[in-house]
Amino acid sequence: MKIRRVRFAFLREEEVSEYPQDRLYAGELHMWGNGEWFKRNRKLDTPGDRVRVGFTTFFIGQIPDRGLRVQLPEVGSYVELGDYFGRVSWSQEGDSDEDWEDGDAAPDEDWSDFCAPVEAKVVAVNTELANTPELLIRDPYGEGWLFEMEIHDHKPKSDFNWDADGYAEFIAQDSD
């Protein structure tokens, strides 16, 4: 995927560069995760812990909002850390949104497959994204969440290793 920085008119500069403090981040996946476990001890370490997952504004800033579609994992599926199990896709400049309504991939489609940020079972998906994928862009830390996962092991394999400040530093270094 060609990385490009796109700014959306409705996001102020500080909203693009600041990340909510109430969650952990999976750096290279550009995903966030939060849940009750964060309030308890900031660690996913108890079987039954649930984590709600979404994309960061950095990732969202890399994709255009034209012809956006999201393929989410199936509820009930168990994934290992790093398994590919979903896709966000968008039309390239010049494609019409009507070309995307039939659900088939357009010839000029760009996409990014996404990986499981933690070893867990998918217990919920954001079904609103099927009809309103723009939620990813409008509210990535709220209504634009992707899915929820439930862990089954103590100390599962996880990429949620950074707090908001650490993730911001990672982005700053990666952008240099």
Side-chain angles (χ1 to χ4, degrees):
M1 173 175 96
K2 184 192 299 184
I3 300 294
R4 54 191 156 187
R5 188 83 164 137
V6 178
R7 301 264 187 217
F8 298 102
F10 53 86
L11 291 177
R12 296 186 315 260
E13 181 67 27
E14 63 269 15
E15 290 176 319
V16 172
S17 60
E18 292 181 4
Y19 304 100
Q21 298 288 324
D22 65 344
R23 56 202 74 210
L24 292 179
Y25 295 84
E28 293 183 1
L29 299 179
H30 302 292
M31 292 179 148
W32 57 263
N34 73 350
E36 291 299 315
W37 53 271
F38 187 86
K39 296 174 192 167
R40 184 180 66 237
N41 64 3
R42 299 179 72 134
K43 295 178 183 173
L44 272 169
D45 62 358
T46 304
D49 279 350
R50 284 185 167 208
V51 58
R52 182 170 276 190
V53 179
F55 286 124
T56 66
T57 48
F58 178 82
F59 177 83
I60 297 300
Q62 307 301 312
I63 61 175
D65 59 352
R66 182 175 175 74
L68 195 60
R69 295 188 304 165
V70 182
Q71 288 178 293
L72 295 171
E74 288 187 36
V75 172
S77 58
Y78 184 85
V79 292
E80 300 286 333
L81 176 68
D83 284 354
Y84 288 98
F85 73 132
R87 174 178 284 186
V88 60
S89 56
W90 56 91
S91 61
Q92 294 180 1
E93 195 170 325
D95 292 342
S96 69
D97 289 339
E98 292 80 36
D99 294 340
W100 291 74
E101 291 182 9
D102 62 3
D104 293 332
D108 294 330
E109 174 183 68
D110 278 336
W111 71 90
S112 179
D113 290 328
F114 52 87
C115 304
V118 64
E119 183 176 67
K121 180 179 179 180
V122 177
V123 293
V125 296
N126 187 349
T127 57
E128 294 296 315
L129 293 177
N131 297 322
T132 316
E134 308 82 44
L135 289 172
L136 281 177
I137 294 168
R138 276 192 306 212
D139 191 12
Y141 297 108
E143 292 182 11
W145 64 278
L146 297 168
F147 48 87
E148 287 186 10
M149 303 176 84
E150 184 176 288
I151 67 166
H152 295 281
D153 297 324
H154 290 285
K155 299 182 182 176
K157 295 177 185 171
S158 172
D159 277 339
F160 289 121
N161 298 321
W162 287 329
D163 63 10
D165 294 337
Y167 180 69
E169 287 178 29
F170 168 76
I171 294 303
Q173 290 174 354
D174 198 44
S175 298
D176 293 339

